[in-house]
Amino acid sequence: MATKKVWYKVLENKNELLEGRVMSVNAGHQVICLSHFEGKYAALDNRCPHQGGPMGEGSIENGLLRCPWHGWDFHPCSGKSPSGFGDGLKTYEIKQEDNALFVAIEEEDEHQTTISDVMVETMVNWGVNRVFGMVGHSNLGMADALRRQEQQGHLQFIGIRHEGAAAFAASAYGKLTGKPAACFAIAGPGSTNMFTGLWDAKVDRAPILALTGQVATQVVGTGNFQEVDLVNAFNAVAEFNHRVEHKSKHSELMSLAIKTAIIKRDVSHLTFPDEVQELTVDNNERAQDPIDRITAMTISPPLESIAKAVKMLNNASRPTIIVGHGARFHMDAIIDFAEKLNCPVMTTFKAKGQISDNHPLGCGVLGRSGTPIASWFMNESDLLLVIGASFSNHSGISPKKPTIQIDFDPMALSKFHKVEAAVWGEISVTMKLLREQVTIYENKIDRTNEINQRRAIWHKEKAKRLLEDRHKGVSSIAVFDALSALTPENAVVCVDVGNNAYSLGRYFESKQQTFLMSGYLGSIGFAFPAAMGAWAAVGQQRPIIAVAGDGGFCQYLAELTTAVKYKMPIKTIILNNSELGKISKEQRAGEFDVWATDLVNPNFAEYANGCGALGIQVTSADQLNTALQTIFAHDGPALVEVITDVGLI
């Protein structure tokens, strides 16, 4: 039975192809080389049979079509090799209607399910439906499977400009939602570019899935172009780390990768050799789903540890609660318990905003980025109840106070020093038990009035600092005073590192906002890619704000074009002091000379406008409110660049 052919219009006007020239055209999914030689038009296979060189990019020399890669010659119309070898170019029927050219191609076979299809469908079934990445020559089969799922409305792919931004975006998505997103890259440099963002996810316990292309198996070990041993390369960062093979249990491999990322709150990595991606599945393999594959995590703590914690809470008269980022999904239960105790509640910097600064018991951030309110009440307490926090040096949690620590991870308990009651359990379950079993409240001192007094003292101090002006730029105090007043209450605020982060922690008065940052890794450049990840998680439901210094924003400033492409209404605040101000400060503190921290920047507002976003530059404090109101009202990505004083933070 004859194969059915389909005619495709490949050139609207034949005169576009000059005599003695060739060009590449598309006929369906096939690329064809069109030639115009001695008044005739011909259609040839576009791939040279030797190394696959694109014949449509070649040239006709001395009556022969020359491959652009290594100079092999073919006849421009017949495709035959003049040397007599039988490795000529396939030809296709061609016809002319009016001035248009048409080429006949055999009707494409119906798509057969590939290994990539099964694995991507499994990924989607497990709820991983946001992918940040870059398509390239070693991940095309996987990319095609992602495209099919996106066309069916099951997945959203965000094409980024740098793979490091993809990993940061997926990390932020995991921090915000507790669920993994995927980052996607080619072999070699595309994969290694993702490492910083993956480490950010790993150390901050955010689930994430890394998908990488790989060079074809037959050239592994030969020093092939972009060949990197990705399994070995990812060993340090990935908890689950495997190469997909032809005979792998493909859907099971993807299921275990995602299950590991979710349960261990860690990095999972799968790498796909080029030739494996397009292989059709054997034995009618089908995609899996998570039904009955993952258990509830509502684990109760051991009876002896909860009993010890209850006894300590019953005996304490001035308890204080400190919450970390690990408590972010359990704050209703924690605040309810705090209100029963009438005790202060403070957060680590990573947990900023988990209790409003306006709440009667809210004391703001503790530690280096914190307020004197928080440190005062920690020092005045007789018991610390620490929930989902890590006790790192930056957190400032005192090791000298009797402490109850609650965490889902037993390795986090007593990690840096011994605590009196280490309680291993899921936080909401543990809080319910404490609420039920703590019975003595009459000995508790109500700290509400004292918190209000300390807050008034701090507000008075901030007002004094707000008046300071060295006429060398806007103070960051003024920036965050204005942001506190104008930021939408339900915004997601993504924070970079440096002086801008310290000032935000100290001066921004949170309401119901959520804050995302590079916590343990402390990586510069986090804020804007993180904002893209936050947007992918919440869409138009919540405003998204990125706060960065000039040094941090410059690391991934090209991603502003990504925000424009996908119409992400991210509002960016850049504190531009033309310096790595935090590093200069550390050099001075260490009695070093200030060196190599000065920066040469573009006009960020003009850059934003050039990218298709809205950009506004602010040079004085009295311009802040109008500029911020303008970008918050703008329908699309917008940026305010504030020329700031490096000395006023």
Side-chain angles (χ1 to χ4, degrees):
M1 181 171 140
T3 303
K4 182 179 178 181
K5 292 185 178 181
V6 180
W7 287 92
Y8 292 93
K9 184 189 287 187
V10 294
L11 206 59
E12 191 69 41
N13 187 338
K14 66 179 184 180
N15 296 323
E16 293 178 40
L17 181 58
L18 301 178
E19 168 69 35
R21 303 292 291 169
V22 294
M23 67 188 304
S24 297
V25 295
N26 293 319
H29 285 105
Q30 197 160 331
V31 183
I32 300 295
C33 171
L34 279 187
S35 68
H36 185 186
F37 180 66
E38 295 181 343
K40 296 179 181 178
Y41 294 92
L44 310 167
D45 190 353
N46 195 58
R47 285 177 57 86
C48 176
H50 306 114
Q51 292 185 12
M55 299 304 302
E57 297 175 21
S59 58
I60 297 175
E61 301 178 26
N62 300 321
L64 294 174
L65 171 56
R66 177 155 292 178
C67 172
W69 281 8
H70 61 285
W72 213 266
D73 289 333
F74 305 89
H75 191 276
C77 296
S78 69
K80 292 181 179 179
S81 172
S83 57
F85 294 108
D87 55 355
L89 298 171
K90 180 180 178 180
T91 61
Y92 299 88
E93 289 183 66
I94 188 169
K95 69 179 181 179
Q96 178 180 334
E97 292 183 3
D98 297 326
N99 273 339
L101 294 180
F102 292 78
V103 173
I105 302 295
E106 292 181 358
E107 186 176 38
E108 295 180 9
D109 293 333
E110 184 178 346
H111 174 73
Q112 300 296 308
T113 301
T114 66
I115 288 170
S116 295
D117 285 322
V118 167
M119 297 190 78
V120 172
E121 186 179 348
T122 298
M123 181 182 84
V124 169
N125 289 348
W126 276 80
V128 183
N129 55 16
R130 297 292 188 274
V131 182
F132 305 88
M134 187 177 289
V135 175
H137 66 89
S138 57
N139 65 19
L140 296 179
M142 192 68 175
D144 207 41
L146 293 170
R147 176 190 61 81
R148 280 186 281 277
Q149 286 293 323
E150 185 173 61
Q151 285 186 336
Q152 295 171 40
H154 299 155
L155 175 146
Q156 182 179 26
F157 182 85
I158 295 104
I160 44 72
R161 307 301 295 269
H162 189 284
E163 296 88 352
F168 272 137
S171 175
Y173 183 99
K175 292 176 186 182
L176 183 60
T177 66
K179 300 182 232 181
C183 47
F184 177 64
I186 64 166
S191 298
T192 57
N193 276 347
M194 296 196 299
F195 273 22
T196 303
L198 294 176
W199 273 105
D200 176 73
K202 184 179 187 69
V203 297
D204 280 354
R205 307 303 302 270
I208 192 171
L209 176 66
L211 306 172
T212 62
Q214 179 57 294
V215 300
T217 302
Q218 60 265 35
V219 299
V220 168
T222 65
N224 192 67
F225 177 67
Q226 293 191 335
E227 181 190 350
V228 173
D229 184 345
L230 292 178
V231 173
N232 275 333
F234 277 74
N235 264 340
V237 72
E239 176 69 20
F240 186 93
N241 179 30
H242 290 281
R243 176 188 177 99
V244 179
E245 303 286 358
H246 179 197
K247 296 296 184 180
S248 296
K249 293 184 177 180
H250 303 106
S251 57
E252 180 68 10
L253 203 58
M254 181 61 80
S255 291
L256 288 174
I258 299 171
K259 183 175 181 177
T260 301
I262 293 171
I263 290 179
K264 296 198 173 182
R265 306 184 193 188
D266 213 320
V267 179
S268 285
H269 168 241
L270 292 171
T271 189
F272 297 78
D274 196 11
E275 83 284 355
V276 171
Q277 298 172 40
E278 297 180 71
L279 293 175
T280 56
V281 294
D282 295 331
N283 304 320
N284 297 315
E285 184 178 9
R286 294 290 180 264
Q288 292 189 17
D289 59 46
I291 297 173
D292 295 328
R293 292 297 306 275
I294 194 163
T295 184
M297 303 299 289
T298 50
I299 305 301
S300 296
L303 294 177
E304 58 271 24
S305 62
I306 200 73
K308 187 172 185 180
V310 167
K311 182 178 179 181
M312 292 174 69
L313 282 163
N314 276 333
N315 291 336
S317 60
R318 298 187 312 279
T320 289
I321 294 177
I322 302 172
V323 293
H325 187 63
R328 64 195 182 279
F329 300 124
H330 314 283
M331 288 308 299
D332 286 347
I334 293 169
I335 292 173
D336 175 72
F337 188 53
E339 289 171 346
K340 186 70 174 173
L341 296 171
N342 280 318
C343 74
V345 181
M346 59 198 67
T347 76
T348 62
F349 186 30
K350 275 178 62 180
K352 183 175 175 65
Q354 288 175 203
I355 182 170
S356 170
D357 287 321
N358 294 329
H359 190 283
L361 300 175
C363 296
V365 171
L366 179 68
R368 298 182 189 181
S369 305
T371 71
I373 309 171
S375 57
W376 170 271
F377 283 102
M378 180 185 68
N379 291 328
E380 291 294 308
S381 68
D382 62 358
L383 175 67
L384 302 181
L385 174 57
V386 182
I387 307 169
S390 64
F391 290 82
S392 73
N393 288 339
H394 282 69
S395 70
I397 302 173
S398 172
K400 299 178 180 179
K401 297 284 183 179
T403 301
I404 301 167
Q405 183 186 3
I406 302 171
D407 208 285
F408 79 97
D409 179 5
M411 290 301 296
L413 296 168
S414 300
K415 182 176 181 180
F416 296 108
H417 63 270
K418 182 175 71 173
V419 298
E420 284 70 19
V423 183
W424 175 34
E426 196 268 341
I427 290 172
S428 62
V429 171
T430 306
M431 294 310 300
K432 184 174 184 293
L433 291 173
L434 291 179
R435 186 72 168 79
E436 292 171 350
Q437 295 184 33
V438 171
T439 57
I440 301 175
Y441 294 99
E442 61 272 14
N443 62 343
K444 306 295 183 284
I445 299 172
D446 186 344
R447 314 300 295 279
T448 309
N449 289 336
E450 192 177 358
I451 292 170
N452 196 44
Q453 291 168 7
R454 286 288 156 185
R455 190 179 290 160
I457 293 170
W458 174 232
H459 286 172
K460 188 175 180 180
E461 173 62 24
K462 286 201 294 184
K464 287 181 182 178
R465 296 182 188 183
L466 190 59
L467 297 176
E468 295 176 3
D469 189 351
R470 304 192 314 163
H471 304 290
K472 294 182 179 181
V474 181
S475 75
S476 61
I477 306 165
V479 174
F480 291 110
D481 182 70
L483 272 174
S484 295
L486 297 174
T487 297
E489 292 194 9
N490 65 334
V492 180
V493 182
C494 301
V495 189
D496 222 293
V497 301
N499 281 342
N500 62 92
Y502 281 84
S503 293
L504 180 142
R506 187 168 296 122
Y507 297 115
F508 189 101
E509 296 281 345
S510 67
K511 299 179 181 66
Q512 302 303 318
Q513 295 95 354
T514 300
F515 295 83
L516 298 176
M517 60 195 70
S518 179
Y520 262 119
L521 193 64
S523 177
I524 193 171
F526 174 82
F528 195 84
M532 297 195 301
W535 171 83
V538 303
Q540 307 296 327
Q541 298 174 20
R542 300 178 67 181
I544 309 295
I545 298 170
V547 176
D550 46 336
F553 183 71
C554 274
Q555 296 245 323
Y556 293 104
L557 81 171
E559 297 303 338
L560 188 56
T561 63
T562 305
V564 171
K565 175 181 177 180
Y566 292 97
K567 299 179 173 60
M568 303 177 184
I570 296 169
K571 315 307 179 189
T572 304
I573 317 299
I574 300 176
L575 282 71
N576 179 6
N577 55 27
S578 297
E579 188 172 325
L580 295 173
K582 178 65 169 62
I583 307 306
S584 298
K585 185 178 179 181
E586 290 178 357
Q587 287 175 329
R588 292 188 188 97
E591 299 182 3
F592 297 104
D593 289 335
V594 174
W595 181 73
T597 58
D598 57 310
L599 302 173
V600 174
N601 293 318
N603 181 309
F604 291 111
E606 290 181 359
Y607 172 76
N609 289 321
C611 290
L614 171 65
I616 302 172
Q617 188 181 79
V618 167
T619 56
S620 63
D622 59 3
Q623 299 171 336
L624 278 168
N625 283 2
T626 299
L628 293 173
Q629 288 167 348
T630 300
I631 67 161
F632 289 149
H634 180 68
D635 183 18
L639 176 153
V640 168
E641 173 190 11
V642 187
I643 306 302
T644 54
D645 184 345
V646 70
L648 291 177
I649 59 173

